[in-house]
Amino acid sequence: MDAKKLNRAVSIFVLAGMTAATGLATALKFSPADPHARMLLLVAAFGSLMGVASCVSSANGYIMTFVFGLLDVSIYGAMCLVNWLNGSSGLGNALLHFAYFIPMQFVGFIQWRRRGSNPEGNVKARRLTASQRGIAAGAFLVLSIAAYFLIARFDRSAADSFIKTAVILDVLPFTCNIIGQFLMSTAYMEQWIFWIGVNISSIVMWGTALRNDPASSYALIYVIKYGFYLVNSLNGLRNWVQLSK
């Protein structure tokens, strides 16, 4: 199978699989007797579908990623806030999406237009130099430490623990998201390394939330979402290695 056919097959798998899984999860968790839970479930499902459309578009270099992404990050930020208010992790991601991710959708759209992206793709991808990679790694370390101590001040879980697992699960996607979004908006291939980190840590975070509250319908949606995101991010890395040559 050549690269184009493989890329098309993975994109179709992610889009179709996410749509089917989201529909099934929504049907299984739908609760007519609880209007609040029903609303959260439907909103989370819609946001997840916009998110997967954004990720697949990004993996292929399509500028529409920022249109779908605006809907996704707005909804996800709200769901993270709900999760935190219910006593679990999520505050860091809520703040990240409202204060950083939403504005960066507009920045990314402008930057990709300048780098030749259009509805058919064709973005001029690039790679970090060795020194820039060192800066990215240092930024990841510094941001992670700073975010840990900041979020730990507001954490509601395991308040007496020296090392708070819930905070770590919040910090990892928080930091990877910041760096990944910057590299994505400026069309660097290395963004996908950080997206892989986001997806793995988010699966663990929402999986923990689901274990703590098996009735949490939106947590199940996000476990499914980031599972498909992980598949897409691996394909995105493969595709952007070629785009950035």
Side-chain angles (χ1 to χ4, degrees):
M1 182 181 293
D2 61 33
K4 288 185 177 180
K5 289 182 178 180
L6 176 61
N7 188 56
R8 187 182 304 113
V10 173
S11 297
I12 292 173
F13 168 76
V14 172
L15 284 170
M18 182 63 186
T19 300
T22 300
L24 178 60
T26 302
L28 291 174
K29 289 289 186 177
F30 195 78
S31 175
D34 189 343
H36 180 68
R38 184 171 67 244
M39 180 189 68
L40 288 176
L41 176 61
L42 294 176
V43 171
F46 175 74
S48 292
L49 292 178
M50 292 300 98
V52 76
S54 174
C55 285
V56 171
S57 297
S58 176
N60 289 277
Y62 299 153
I63 199 169
M64 283 297 291
T65 182
F66 298 106
V67 177
F68 297 127
L70 181 60
L71 293 170
D72 173 42
V73 298
S74 299
I75 293 172
Y76 186 68
M79 292 297 103
C80 285
L81 184 60
V82 170
N83 197 53
W84 177 71
L85 291 173
N86 287 336
S88 189
S89 57
L91 177 62
N93 269 300
L95 295 174
L96 171 69
H97 282 69
F98 289 134
Y100 179 72
F101 249 153
I102 290 177
M104 285 300 287
Q105 302 309 304
F106 298 97
V107 173
F109 187 88
I110 294 170
Q111 290 295 318
W112 279 35
R113 282 288 296 272
R114 290 177 178 175
R115 296 194 63 78
S117 184
N118 54 48
E120 289 74 41
N122 303 322
V123 65
K124 297 176 182 177
R126 49 187 174 173
R127 299 186 185 186
L128 295 173
T129 63
S131 61
Q132 289 173 330
R133 290 178 182 176
I135 292 173
F140 173 78
L141 181 61
V142 171
L143 282 173
S144 295
I145 295 173
Y148 177 86
F149 287 106
L150 176 63
I151 296 173
R153 291 175 59 90
F154 302 96
D155 181 56
R156 299 184 177 187
S157 62
D160 297 327
S161 300
F162 179 71
I163 299 297
K164 300 180 179 181
T165 302
V167 176
I168 293 175
L169 293 178
D170 209 0
V171 165
L172 290 177
F174 178 90
T175 308
C176 286
N177 266 315
I178 290 177
I179 300 176
Q181 179 63 63
F182 177 81
L183 295 176
M184 174 184 174
S185 295
T186 48
Y188 281 102
M189 177 273 293
E190 286 81 1
Q191 63 171 294
W192 293 104
I193 296 173
F194 291 96
W195 292 141
I196 291 171
V198 169
N199 296 330
I200 293 175
S201 57
S202 294
I203 289 171
V204 176
M205 184 185 83
W206 288 108
T208 301
L210 185 62
R211 183 186 62 189
N212 294 336
D213 181 13
S216 177
S217 55
Y218 59 88
L220 175 60
I221 289 290
Y222 285 122
V223 170
I224 296 171
K225 169 184 175 178
Y226 282 101
F228 280 100
Y229 274 22
L230 180 58
V231 174
N232 184 71
S233 61
L234 293 172
N235 184 56
L237 177 61
R238 181 198 62 79
N239 198 30
W240 276 61
V241 165
Q242 298 300 318
L243 288 174
S244 61
K245 283 185 176 180

